[in-house]
Amino acid sequence: MTLAAGRHYLAIPGPSVMPDPVLAAMHRPAPNIYEGELVDMTATIAADLKRIAVTEHQVAIYIANGHGAWEAALANVCAPGETVLCCVTGRFGEGWAEMARGLGLVAEEIDFGLSSALDAGRIEAALREDRAGRIRAVLVNHVDTATTVRNDIAAVRAAIDAAGHPALLMVDCIASLGCDPFEMDALGADVVVAASQKGLMTPPGLGFLFFNERADAVQRANKVSGYWSWTVRARPEMFYQFFGGTAPTHHLYGLRTALDMLLAEGLEAIWHRHEVLSGAIWAAVDAWGQGGAMRLNVPRPEERSFAVTSVHLPEGKAEELRRFCSERLGVTLGIGLGRDPGVDYLRVGHMGHVNAHMVLGVVGVMEAGMAALSIPFGPGAGSAAAEVVARGC
C-alpha cells in the first residue's frame, strides 16, 4: 500500500516550492517584448532584486541557472591564465573551481572539509603569500547546498583587508539569498551570484549578478563577450539589452510576483521564519539521534544554513529512507549530493515558500518512514520540533 496519493511535497534544496500566485502569474499568453507592460515591469524587478540583496550597486540578469551565473561572474572579472582562490566547503565550492579551470583560469583551492565552515585565517595567510598579487578574486559559497555549511562572509572580507590584498570578494548566494541573512554592501562583497529557483521561489532559469564599482572597474579592463558582459545588461539603453536578446517573459512575470510576496513579508521576517523552521528540523534530528545513528552533518549551529540541512544516516539507510518517503509517503527529500557514499546522506530543503505545517509534516513523514523501515531512532522529535516553532511565534 502507498500513502503517497494526493499532492506531493518536494522538500529538496531547489527547485523550491513555487507559490500558487507565482504559477498563476506565469499562466498567460506571450506578451509584447518591445513595449508595454513587460517592459515597464522589468524596470521594477532590477530595483527590487537589489532590495533583496541589500545593495545600492548594480544587478545584471541572465537567462541561466546558477552554473550559468557562476560562469558570467568569472567571465566578467577574470581572463584566461589569471588566478582565483577557491574556498571549498562542499561540492559546489569544488564546482565553481572546476568551472574556473574550464575557462582557462588557475583555480587554487583551500579545502575546509565537508562539515565545517571556512577558516578566515587560512585565507588571509594565502593572500599574504601572494606578494605579486596574482589572485584576482576569492570565491566563497555563502551556503554550500551539498554540505549545507554556511560561511562567515564578513570574516572573509576582513581577511582580505587584513592582508592588504586587491582581490575581489565573490560570493555564491544561490542557496541563501532570501533565506539566510545576507547584506551585500554591509558584508563587503564585490560580486554576488544568485538564481531564481530557491529563496526567490521562481522556476529555474534566471541567474543574477550583483556587482559594485570595484568589480565594475576590473570588468572594464577585461575583454568580455557581448552576451556575458554585465555592462550593458545593468545599464541597458534598449529593453532587449537587459537579457542579451529575447526576454525570459514568463519567468519575469513569476519573479515579479515572488518579489512582491517577499517584500510584503519583509527581509527580517523572512530570515526569522527560516531560522525558526530550520531549528525545528535540527531539533528533530537531534532527538532521533539519541536512540539511533542519525546526526546532523554540520555540528556547530552557527555554521548551518537556514535554507537546507544535510543529515547523516549510515549503512545506506539515508537513501533507503529517502526513497521510502518519496515513493510511499509523498515527500521527496534531497539526495546526498557530493558525498561518497551518497547513500549515507540526505538533505532536507526548507527554503523559500515554506511554513510551519510543511516542516512539521516533513518531520512526521521522516519518523513514519524510519518506523516502517525499522531504523532505530530516539523519541520526541515531533515535540522538540513543535517546541522550536512555538518559541518562534
Side-chain angles (χ1 to χ4, degrees):
M1 294 293 292
T2 177
L3 300 178
R7 187 167 186 172
H8 200 98
Y9 180 63
L10 200 62
I12 66 172
S16 64
V17 174
M18 280 167 276
D20 289 339
V22 170
L23 296 173
M26 299 176 71
H27 190 72
R28 64 178 68 204
N32 185 346
I33 62 171
Y34 301 107
E35 60 185 0
E37 177 189 60
L38 182 71
V39 176
D40 296 340
M41 181 187 71
T42 300
T44 70
I45 287 176
D48 286 342
L49 282 169
K50 291 192 284 186
R51 292 174 66 186
I52 299 298
V54 197
T55 181
E56 298 295 325
H57 299 297
Q58 300 294 330
V59 62
I61 305 174
Y62 294 83
I63 305 173
N65 57 19
H67 286 69
W70 277 352
E71 180 162 338
L74 293 168
N76 273 282
V77 299
C78 300
E82 292 182 335
T83 300
V84 291
L85 182 64
C86 305
C87 305
V88 177
T89 53
R91 178 69 194 96
F92 288 90
E94 294 172 353
W96 208 1
E98 291 166 0
M99 180 165 286
R101 294 188 186 101
L103 294 172
L105 307 179
V106 177
E108 297 181 355
E109 294 186 29
I110 305 180
D111 191 341
F112 298 95
L114 302 178
S115 296
S116 61
L118 57 78
D119 175 358
R122 291 177 62 188
I123 298 171
E124 181 181 340
L127 294 174
R128 288 186 183 277
E129 290 177 5
D130 180 34
R131 296 181 179 87
R134 297 178 301 104
I135 297 171
R136 175 56 61 92
V138 177
L139 277 53
V140 182
N141 300 81
H142 184 212
V143 168
D144 192 294
T145 324
T147 59
T148 71
V149 168
R150 182 176 65 192
N151 287 305
D152 185 342
I153 302 304
V156 181
R157 176 77 267 169
I160 296 171
D161 293 345
H165 200 284
L168 298 173
L169 173 55
M170 299 174 63
V171 184
D172 169 358
C173 284
I174 294 168
S176 60
L177 192 67
C179 303
D180 290 274
F182 184 85
E183 301 180 49
M184 176 180 173
D185 294 357
L187 293 171
D190 297 302
V191 178
V192 171
V193 179
S196 57
Q197 73 271 20
K198 298 181 186 284
L200 298 184
M201 309 184 302
T202 305
L206 295 179
F208 311 107
L209 286 189
F210 303 87
F211 59 94
N212 64 14
E213 288 81 2
R214 288 187 69 236
D216 202 22
V218 170
Q219 193 269 2
R220 289 173 185 274
N222 259 8
K223 185 177 181 180
V224 188
S225 74
Y227 185 80
W228 286 124
S229 174
W230 65 38
T231 300
V232 176
R233 288 173 182 264
R235 309 174 185 89
E237 295 180 2
M238 300 182 68
F239 178 68
Y240 79 90
Q241 293 175 321
F242 264 118
F243 310 104
T246 304
T249 54
H250 290 65
H251 274 73
L252 293 174
Y253 285 117
L255 178 61
R256 177 64 271 167
T257 299
L259 291 171
D260 289 342
M261 295 176 69
L262 292 169
L263 294 171
E265 184 178 1
L267 278 177
E268 294 289 342
I270 290 168
W271 295 337
H272 175 71
R273 174 167 55 84
H274 281 83
E275 180 179 9
V276 171
L277 298 179
S278 61
I281 295 291
W282 304 344
V285 175
D286 284 342
W288 289 326
Q290 296 303 308
M294 180 178 280
R295 62 171 174 80
L296 294 162
N297 175 56
V298 183
R300 300 179 63 176
E302 65 272 21
E303 296 179 354
R304 300 174 192 158
S305 170
F306 294 161
V308 54
T309 296
S310 175
V311 177
H312 178 59
L313 188 58
E315 299 180 357
K317 297 298 183 182
E319 178 62 9
E320 186 179 353
L321 175 61
R322 193 191 68 81
R323 287 192 175 277
F324 186 90
C325 289
S326 182
E327 296 169 3
R328 304 288 292 277
L329 301 178
V331 172
T332 294
L333 303 165
I335 63 171
L337 188 64
R339 290 290 191 168
D340 186 16
V343 294
D344 289 346
Y345 289 84
L346 59 80
R347 293 172 300 156
V348 183
H350 35 81
M351 55 173 59
H353 188 58
V354 62
N355 60 25
H357 87 75
M358 293 172 171
V359 165
L360 294 175
V362 168
V363 170
V365 164
M366 290 178 68
E367 182 159 320
M370 286 189 286
L373 294 169
S374 299
I375 297 172
F377 62 90
S383 297
E387 180 59 32
V388 171
V389 171
R391 290 199 304 268
C393 291

